[in-house]
Structure formats: structure tokens, C-alpha cells
Amino acid sequence: MFKKFIDRPILSTVISLIIVSLGLVGLIELPITRFPEIAPPSVSVSASYPGADAETVASSVLLPLETAINGVEDMTYIRSKAATGSASINIFFKQGTNPDQAAVNVQNRVSIANTNLPTEVIENGITVEPQQRGSIMTLNIYSDDPAFDETFLQSYTNINLIRELQRIDGVAKVTRIGARSYAMRIWLDPNKLSAYNLVPSDVRKAVNDQNFELAPGEFGQNSNQAFQVTIRYGGRYTSQKEFENIIVKTTDEGAVLRLKDIARVELSATNLNAENKVDGKPGLTINITQNSGANARDIDTNIRQKLTELSKEFPEGIKYSISYSVKDQVDNSISQVLHTLVEAFILVFIIVFIFLQDLRATIIPAIAIPVALIGTLFFIYLLGFSINLLTMFALVLAIGIVVDDAIVVVEAIHEKLESNPDVSPRDASVETMNEIAPAIVSITMVMAAVFIPVGFMQGPAGVFYRQFAYTLAIAILISALNALTLSPALCALILHRQKKKEKEEELQEEGAKNGKEKIKSLLDYFFISFNMAFNKMTRRYLSATAVLIKKRKLAM
């Protein structure tokens, strides 16, 4: 089997090239995040009950909804909150549950509860959507011009900015903190209501009866007339004056009571319970979340480009700033890991070169490192992982492990060439692989058996350890495949016999003839000194080991 790969080095090379090519595909497609997603999926249900206090909301809105939702498929627990005029429920599910399917299941349960909810709640609508956790960016929109207050900025952002950001690929949700927009607010005078024997529901009914949309139809249908005329209706009121002239009550004598007689009407904000400022200036804050499995870094880059385009059309005085961005943290973290990756590769290369003392022999295990690391990226892509701190940390640790199999192959073939002067590099490779192949396979299986069981851990901790363990195990398996195919083929092609003892005696007798040979001689003299020191240390170790074997009690 191994003879086939040694005699056909092109086949061995193609196998490694395929692994690297697949790894590059995975590298392009893999999302980049700081940490893997560990938060369990959840679905958010929100409802509005204008004018109701928290206790009323809890009893008339939350209780029917919780009763209907409780026990939905794969649910773990529910958390609800009642406030003045609003209610919210968060339903959490088991790890790995599809959030979109969970939202559909919750929506079906909510529809069952509609018959038990107040009419006002149903009219305002009940929102059911997957809850996206962890903002990837926080934006601030603010104004230097006092003419633009927070309400204007909220409305302008909602119309001109949020819609554009939501169309960016990978963006799940764009949320305004303390969201508000323009609304016609009616401030009732309780004394005047009492004087005219009215209650707030009378005013609400009058507004609803006179402020509505209507499709009146057409004139001239089903007649002998040559023309048909579409009837136009003004529709909902849009100005303060139109609302002020709404008729609330009439008397038998023909007197008319209008809304302006009992209330103050103004165009204001829908939400006056919160105020947002940016560096003391009117503004608003926007949080952006990503879809599950999306590339946070690419989303961040696209958002910045879109903001640059949109800011050119901002009114004079409106500006934006980015107060939080996951891209900065991801870039810093990945940069540190990449530096560590390069440093580890260099250290491994130096150590292998010092001990093998042959540049050709050093290149072979050095090739095994990128093949194993890059090839691993394709398999972690198939597993649904991402490029994050845990998978990158696993690749850093894998450098010192994946090089072991190749070093075992190269060192064994190297030793056989030195000890047997009559054997060729090809024959030495074949004989050596027949001897050490079972050892390589067993070492690989033992190493994989250490990490693979860790991947069966459950819960949030299991997500962390699973990505780390599987990444490391895959790199080890690829390194074994490389050691059984490409490494012996390269050894048969590029290794040559070195007679160290004769070379050392020759170097001790002859001096350097020119600068280039002097540098080479200095490197060889370093190797001679290193070998002498290492052999001396080895003899002392063997002597100490022999003593400990004889005196077992001392060893214990």
C-alpha cells in the first residue's frame, strides 16, 4: 500500500492538494465571529394595551398568552414582563432548536389565545419573532442643529436609515432604543369632561367614528352613462386642525361640542417615557443584530459602507457615530491568534531543523503543517462551525501535534539512510513505512480518542468544547493521512544520505576557504557542538534511568 504512494509521488501530491483546495473553499465560506453561539434560541412575544396599568396587563394579557404558549415543542422555560400599556414574553428553547420553526409554533399558540384577549390588544397586534441575542454594532444618530429634536431624528432614521440597513445581507434586526414616531396626541381636560358629562371612552369613540379610511366606490357603474367617476374620500385626518374640529357631542338644541373645546391637541411623539441624548445633544441609539451563522465581520463592513453612502444625504447638522462594533474585537482577537500561529510555525520549523540538521528533511514536516491546518477548515465548515477564538486556538495547538507524524516518518527514514549505506532513499522509505505505519495509526487513534469524546458534552459549555475538540481531532487525522502518503513520497524524492561522523572529522581538519563556506562551517560546527552536548545529556539520562530501574523503591 505504502509502496504505491512512494512510487507515485504525483498521486500523493494530488491528495494533499485536494485537501488544501477544500480547505481554501472552507476558509472563504466560513463565517468569522468572536465566539460560537452559545445562547439558547428564544422567541419574543410582545403586545400593547394602551392605557392599562401593569396589573391589568398581567391579568388580562400575560395570563391568557402564557397559558396558551406553555408547553410548546422543545420549550425549556418562559419569562414574562408586564408594564404600563405593554407586555412581553420570552420563550426559551433547547439548544439546537430552529428559531424560525420555534417562532411558527409559538405563533400558532398565540392565535389560540386571541379569543381571550381584550379587543384593544388584538387591534394593536401581537408581535411574534425569533429573539436575536448579542448586538454586533451600536449606532448613535445625533444632531448639532437644535431644530432637529429626538422625535424628528427617530422618524427620519426609521424612514431613511433603518430600511436600508435591514436590507444588508446577514442583518437580522435593527432596533431603536426608546423607539418613537410622530403622533397626534390628545390631552383631555378632566374638569371639562365632567362638566359635559363625558368620559375618555366617549372621546375615543368619536375619534374612531370620524377618523377612518373608506373606499366609497364609483358613480356610473351599470348605467347608460358614457363616463364613470371614482368617488374620492379624504381618509384619515393628518393635521392638528382637523382633529380639533372632530365633533364629540351634540345637544337637542343643535349645539356642537368639538374636541378642541375639551382637550388640547398637538402633533408630538408617540413615546414620551424616555429621552435619549448623545454627548448632551438630541439623538437616538440603534442596535443591530445578525442572523444565526452570518459573518459578523462582513456585516459590519457592509454596514459601514452603507452608512458612508447614506450620510451624504443627511440634512445639515445630522451626524452618526459607532459606539460599539464587534468587528474591532474580532479583528484584534484574530490578529493575536494569527501572530501566535506564525510564531508557533517558526518555532516548530527551527526546532525540527536543529534536531534533524538537514534543510531538506525539515521542509517535509513543515509542509505537513499547512496541509493539515488548511484542510481542517473545510471540515469545520461542514460541521457548521465558524472561525472564532476557540477554533483558531485549536489550530495553534495543532501545529505542534500535526508535525509529529511527519517528523516520525522523516526521522526514521533519515536514520535508516545513515545506518545502512547500501540502501537507496526509495528503499529506505518503503522499509521504514512498513515498520512504523502501525505506530503512526495507533498514535493518531489515541490522540483522536482524547479529544473526540469531549465533543459529546451538552449545553453552552459543550458548544465551546465541541468546536475546540473536533477542530483539533480533525487536524490530527489529516496529519496522519499526510504522514502515510505525502511525507514518505517526499522522503524518497528529496532525502539524501549524510555521513555525519566523516563530515564532522573533515570539518575539524579543514578550515573555511571563503565567506560563504565559513558561514556554512559555523552552522556545521554549531550542529557538532549541539550533538555532543545532546549525546552527553542522553548518556546521563540513561545512567540515571538504569539506577532508578535497579532501585525501584527510590523511584517510587
Side-chain angles (χ1 to χ4, degrees), residues 16 69 190 244 295 435 473 483 509 525:
S16 297
I69 295 172
E244 288 177 341
N295 193 322
E435 296 172 359
E509 294 176 358
Y525 282 126

Side-chain angles (χ1 to χ4, degrees), residues 496-534:
H496 59 83
R497 185 181 297 103
Q498 284 186 328
K499 298 180 180 180
K500 286 189 176 180
K501 292 183 179 179
E502 297 179 2
K503 188 175 182 181
E504 290 174 4
E505 294 175 357
E506 181 181 352
L507 288 170
Q508 291 175 359
E509 294 176 358
E510 296 182 0
K513 296 181 179 179
N514 52 51
K516 184 176 180 180
E517 293 181 356
K518 183 177 182 181
I519 295 176
K520 184 177 179 181
S521 298
L522 289 176
L523 183 62
D524 288 333
Y525 282 126
F526 167 76
F527 286 148
I528 293 171
S529 302
F530 175 83
N531 291 336
M532 293 175 61
F534 186 78

Side-chain angles (χ1 to χ4, degrees), residues 181-399:
S181 58
Y182 284 109
M184 200 65 68
R185 299 190 69 93
I186 301 173
W187 304 95
L188 299 175
D189 188 329
N191 295 325
K192 293 181 179 179
L193 288 178
S194 178
Y196 291 104
N197 196 23
L198 295 171
V199 293
S201 59
D202 297 329
V203 179
R204 175 189 291 273
K205 185 176 183 302
V207 172
N208 291 336
D209 289 345
Q210 300 173 53
N211 179 38
F212 59 89
E213 293 289 351
L214 183 65
E218 295 180 336
F219 286 124
Q221 284 187 340
N222 196 23
S223 67
N224 296 326
Q225 299 296 325
F227 299 100
Q228 293 182 3
V229 179
T230 302
I231 303 172
R232 299 185 62 184
Y233 172 70
R236 291 184 178 274
Y237 298 150
T238 57
S239 67
Q240 177 180 338
K241 186 175 181 180
E242 289 175 329
F243 276 91
E244 288 177 341
N245 290 326
I246 290 177
I247 298 174
V248 179
K249 185 178 182 180
T250 59
T251 63
D252 296 337
E253 293 79 11
V256 176
L257 180 67
R258 299 185 184 277
L259 185 58
K260 63 183 178 181
D261 298 327
I262 59 173
R264 175 170 55 89
V265 181
E266 66 174 355
L267 182 63
S268 182
T270 55
N271 176 20
L272 298 177
N273 296 327
E275 183 178 10
N276 193 3
K277 291 186 179 297
V278 179
D279 295 332
K281 303 171 184 176
L284 74 151
T285 301
I286 300 174
N287 287 327
I288 301 175
T289 55
Q290 71 180 76
N291 285 320
S292 178
N295 193 322
R297 192 176 183 279
D298 289 346
I299 296 173
D300 190 296
T301 302
N302 294 333
I303 290 175
R304 291 174 187 266
Q305 293 176 354
K306 179 61 67 173
L307 287 173
T308 303
E309 297 175 7
L310 296 175
S311 62
K312 298 176 182 178
E313 301 178 2
F314 284 177
E316 188 68 27
I318 295 181
K319 301 178 181 179
Y320 77 92
S321 64
I322 300 175
S323 57
Y324 168 78
S325 172
V326 73
K327 176 178 179 293
D328 299 333
Q329 300 180 4
V330 170
D331 287 347
N332 291 335
S333 301
I334 298 299
S335 175
Q336 293 177 6
V337 174
L338 289 176
H339 284 133
T340 306
L341 200 65
V342 174
E343 292 167 0
F345 180 84
I346 294 174
L347 288 174
V348 168
F349 184 88
I350 292 174
I351 296 301
V352 172
F353 180 63
I354 289 176
F355 278 88
L356 294 182
Q357 299 175 10
D358 182 6
L359 185 59
R360 294 187 178 189
T362 306
I363 291 175
I364 298 173
I367 292 175
I369 296 177
V371 171
L373 298 188
I374 297 176
T376 303
L377 296 176
F378 176 72
F379 293 95
I380 67 176
Y381 168 70
L382 294 181
L383 292 173
F385 298 164
S386 62
I387 296 178
N388 54 64
L389 289 184
L390 293 175
T391 51
M392 293 294 287
F393 178 54
L395 292 179
V396 171
L397 292 183
I399 290 179

